[in-house]
Amino acid sequence: MIPQTFPKASLLEDRAEIDLGLARVLESGWYILGPEVEAFEAEFARYCGVAHGVGVANGTDAIELALRALGVGPGDVVATPSHTAVATVAAVIAAGARPLWIDIDPASYLLDLDHLEAQVAAFRQGPGGDRLKAVVAVHLYGSMVSPAGLLAVCRRHGLLLVEDCAQAHGALWNGQRAGSFGDASAFSFYPTKNLGALGDGGMVVTADAAVAERAAFLRQYGWKERYVSFEVGINSRLDPMQAAILRVFLKRLDERNEKRRALADLYSRNLADVSEVVLPVSPAPGTAVYHQYVIRVADRHALADFLKAHGVGTAVHYPVPVHRQPAYLDFARDADLPHTDAVAGHILSLPMYPHLPPDDAARVTDLVKAFFSRSP
Ligand SMILES: *Cc1c(COP(=O)(O)O)cnc(C)c1O
């Protein structure tokens, strides 16, 4: 069996060092925040190239707290893609704002900067246009949305930028790390992410000391001093055991991203001449960290069933765009996202994790080829 993802492989590789880290936390007597969390916050912020990191309970909270720390709140509007994890939009709404839906570029599956510009300009003309405050840009599947392109739109319209980096730990474009150019950025350390804990975790990173300070007190009831809330916050703290694990895996991140890239290259090489398969396109080749390797085919279900019958797991990221999900219909009455709607039924994520043996990846592409050569 070749699974679609396999986070336990990272634990098995680093078991001894992780056991030492966990023992250190247990012996320390600090079980909430404390030195282990602070050490990881500093190490991960430095890795991203920004001054501050605030460890939180998960990536969804990180997006909500990044928005709230920047002053986005009830009545505000935030531009966001619909082709993303539901968490992106759930966080916008948790912050009190509502989404302005932006379509994707159908080749890269990323936020379409031309559509962003057009939607922002049109919204600004309408009643309440000044309530549009921010963009949440998602570096989906490990591919970055162009930093220069995003910053140009945000500067032109006076918008704050939050990068959703939950799928892009370590991605680098022209020397700029994912997470380093937004006003604040959010990371998830869900186990299957490029940098994943063995449980939940997340972080807000920012170059702005005041934004970091505000995120840090909002993650703990809005306390500036113990037991006195100056704002209504939430409880969302990174667990020190997970911080100890993440410190070990951070040292492996570049090497593991390199393995993901090599696997993506292998897939792309082996599938290049299969005309029925649309391969993923990165807007800046060499910058992507391949959280997922996503192909597009006419009949996704048939291909997924065939692969499953031959012991290969696949997944779909994501089958229903957020603006089509029952809970979000009320927020989506005027959504018009043709590219988002067109791709959702055809995308398929092949197995992708750093410990996937290249021979197994080659077996996957052999099976994809076999499927199309026997198809009428
Ligand atoms: C995983 C993910 C999140 C949410 O992270 P959690 O830690 O699961 O809350 C947000 N956005 C994107 C794009 C993700 O992939």
Side-chain angles (χ1 to χ4, degrees):
M1 179 71 199
I2 302 174
Q4 200 273 328
T5 185
F6 185 40
K8 190 178 175 185
S10 298
L11 166 69
L12 297 177
E13 187 180 0
D14 291 327
R15 185 67 198 245
E17 202 179 346
I18 284 173
D19 283 345
L20 285 175
L22 293 178
R24 183 172 65 238
V25 173
L26 291 172
E27 291 305 318
S28 76
W30 278 96
Y31 308 125
I32 297 291
L33 297 177
E36 199 71 27
V37 171
E38 284 165 24
F40 177 62
E41 287 172 336
E43 286 162 10
F44 189 65
R46 188 177 330 116
Y47 175 85
C48 292
V50 296
H52 308 281
V54 178
V56 300
N58 56 66
T60 313
D61 288 353
I63 301 167
E64 176 192 340
L65 291 172
L67 286 166
R68 290 185 63 186
L70 290 169
V72 176
D76 291 338
V77 176
V78 174
T80 171
S82 172
H83 182 66
T84 180
V86 73
T88 310
V89 185
V92 167
I93 291 168
R98 65 193 165 84
L100 172 67
W101 305 97
I102 311 298
D103 209 355
I104 52 168
D105 172 326
S108 69
Y109 309 110
L110 299 174
L111 195 74
D112 178 342
L113 289 169
D114 294 332
H115 193 240
L116 176 67
E117 169 67 36
Q119 288 292 88
V120 167
F123 191 89
R124 273 281 154 81
Q125 302 291 308
D130 59 333
R131 299 315 302 255
L132 178 59
K133 294 286 166 58
V135 177
V136 177
V138 183
H139 301 309
L140 197 70
Y141 305 151
S143 279
M144 287 172 74
V145 186
S146 159
L150 275 172
L151 288 169
V153 177
C154 289
R155 287 197 183 119
R156 198 147 49 232
H157 297 281
L159 295 172
L160 295 160
L161 176 60
V162 171
E163 296 172 69
D164 178 347
C165 304
Q167 302 190 2
H169 316 68
L172 188 66
W173 183 329
N174 273 344
Q176 275 178 305
R177 277 262 188 241
S180 67
F181 59 93
D183 294 285
S185 299
F187 286 87
S188 164
F189 305 120
Y190 185 85
T192 59
K193 308 290 186 179
N194 294 46
L195 178 58
L198 300 173
D200 275 309
M203 197 179 291
V204 178
V205 304
T206 176
D208 185 328
V211 172
E213 188 187 24
R214 184 136 189 253
F217 81 79
L218 285 171
R219 82 175 155 182
Q220 194 158 232
Y221 320 115
W223 286 349
K224 269 186 194 168
E225 57 191 78
R226 207 167 172 76
Y227 306 132
V228 185
S229 296
F230 286 79
E231 204 169 340
V232 179
I234 61 177
N235 174 2
S236 181
R237 299 174 292 223
L238 179 62
D239 184 279
M241 303 259 201
Q242 299 304 334
I245 292 165
L246 287 161
R247 291 181 73 189
V248 176
F249 289 162
L250 177 58
K251 291 187 265 179
R252 299 274 199 185
L253 178 59
D254 287 340
E255 159 199 333
R256 287 179 179 163
N257 279 341
E258 217 37 72
K259 288 188 172 157
R260 287 176 183 267
R261 266 193 207 110
L263 291 164
D265 286 348
L266 185 154
Y267 278 151
S268 293
R269 260 194 327 274
N270 290 5
L271 295 174
D273 51 6
V274 184
S275 60
E276 295 91 340
V277 176
V278 180
L279 300 179
V281 175
S282 171
T287 65
V289 291
Y290 290 96
H291 175 61
Q292 300 296 350
Y293 187 91
V294 176
I295 61 171
R296 202 154 87 231
V297 295
D299 190 344
R300 161 176 82 208
H301 295 290
L303 177 58
D305 287 349
F306 177 84
L307 291 173
K308 188 175 174 196
H310 290 85
V312 173
T314 58
V316 176
H317 304 93
Y318 297 88
V320 183
V322 182
H323 76 288
R324 297 281 181 198
Q325 299 189 21
Y328 292 88
L329 294 178
D330 279 349
F331 294 97
R333 274 183 228 107
D334 45 9
D336 180 24
L337 308 170
H339 294 305
T340 296
D341 285 330
V343 305
H346 299 281
I347 47 179
L348 188 68
S349 305
L350 298 182
M352 176 53 78
Y353 48 94
H355 300 83
L356 176 65
D359 285 351
D360 283 1
R363 173 164 164 72
V364 172
T365 55
D366 285 347
L367 286 165
V368 172
K369 287 178 178 170
F371 173 80
F372 285 108
S373 59
R374 58 146 221 174
S375 291

